[in-house]
Amino acid sequence: MQAPWTEPGPTCEALGSLIASLADAKFFLGRRVADWCVGAPELESAVACAAIAQEELGHARVLYPLLGELPLHVPVVPLEREQDRSQYFCPAFLTSPWPSWPEAVVSLALVDSALTVLLQAATSSAHGELARRACRIVEEEWFHSVFGWARVRALLQEDASRRARPLLAARMAEVLDWLSSATAGLGVLQAAGVVDGESEGLRARYLDAVRAGLRELCGVVEAVGAA
């Protein structure tokens, strides 16, 4: 019996949307973090940005080939340059350079956590190649999370907090909107064994991940999550 994603239909389209969302977000996250390899406020952060950017772009490159195996109604072209497509399946704030260091670390922490939650949901996937890639990527995400959330907590404890908190709330709301779009077809994917949760469940996992990253430093999670 053929897997449902090997034939045109809702499962195939939902899987294509999920993979495109993961790969595009990884691609643009890598590009935006790379912008700060020479602009970070200290050498340690610049080196970390270089390593994270390289890994995020590598993750995108291993995810894109999965799209070529799906009989999608409208094929999705892998990104090698930002101009390769006019439509992107990622949060809009990833498609333009980040103007400040607070924006860079807040965006990195929030997007990276969302991507990790989505990938963790696929680590036991019935889609063997997706499961293998997801397991490997999740293992490499640990450092990204440690770095990003440490810098966010530092911002919230400094004078920059008055600027960082509204930015955190705004970006978190945008990530949640994107997460809803990326997981819109998760019902059929869960039924096919591709992922281990549905949209609302993954939203809750994401809010828990952000709460853990912030360590209750502010009420942003509760305020935005209840919206």
Side-chain angles (χ1 to χ4, degrees):
M1 180 179 179
Q2 285 189 318
W5 56 82
T6 62
E7 300 177 353
T11 304
C12 175
E13 295 299 323
L15 181 56
S17 177
L18 175 63
I19 294 172
S21 297
L22 287 167
D24 277 10
K26 286 280 186 183
F27 173 84
F28 277 104
L29 184 60
R31 294 298 294 265
R32 296 289 79 85
V33 174
D35 294 339
W36 284 91
C37 292
V38 295
E42 65 273 336
L43 179 60
E44 178 189 17
S45 292
V47 173
C49 284
I52 291 170
Q54 184 177 19
E55 288 189 340
E56 294 293 355
L57 290 169
H59 296 164
R61 291 190 187 102
V62 301
L63 288 168
Y64 278 128
L66 296 177
L67 291 170
E69 301 170 3
L70 299 175
L72 297 171
H73 178 65
V74 179
V76 179
V77 178
L79 294 174
E80 294 183 5
R81 297 167 298 275
E82 296 188 33
Q83 298 79 21
D84 286 345
R85 268 196 266 119
S86 59
Q87 181 183 12
Y88 306 127
F89 301 90
C90 65
F93 64 83
L94 290 182
T95 62
S96 300
W98 297 329
S100 68
W101 181 243
E103 178 132 15
V105 295
V106 165
S107 299
L108 167 62
L110 289 173
V111 175
D112 189 75
S113 292
L115 290 168
T116 299
V117 165
L118 287 176
L119 287 160
Q120 285 173 333
T123 54
S124 299
S125 178
H127 189 299
E129 287 303 315
L130 175 60
R132 279 187 281 276
R133 287 163 170 76
C135 288
R136 179 180 174 183
I137 292 172
V138 167
E139 289 177 358
E140 296 178 349
E141 289 294 323
W142 176 82
F143 172 70
H144 304 192
S145 178
V146 170
F147 173 79
W149 286 114
R151 296 309 184 275
V152 170
R153 291 193 298 271
L155 285 175
L156 292 171
Q157 292 171 328
E158 296 169 355
D159 291 340
S161 175
R162 283 180 294 179
R163 288 176 294 149
R165 288 180 184 234
L167 177 62
L168 184 66
R171 290 292 177 261
M172 184 175 166
E174 292 177 74
V175 173
L176 283 169
D177 284 344
W178 168 78
L179 197 58
S180 295
S181 174
T183 60
L186 243 60
V188 294
L189 295 184
Q190 185 181 23
V194 176
V195 293
D196 68 1
E198 39 68 49
S199 184
E200 284 303 311
L202 294 192
R203 175 189 172 95
R205 294 183 204 177
Y206 175 63
L207 294 175
D208 286 343
V210 174
R211 191 176 293 109
L214 289 173
R215 296 180 184 169
E216 307 297 346
L217 282 176
C218 60
V220 173
V221 179
E222 285 67 27
V224 178

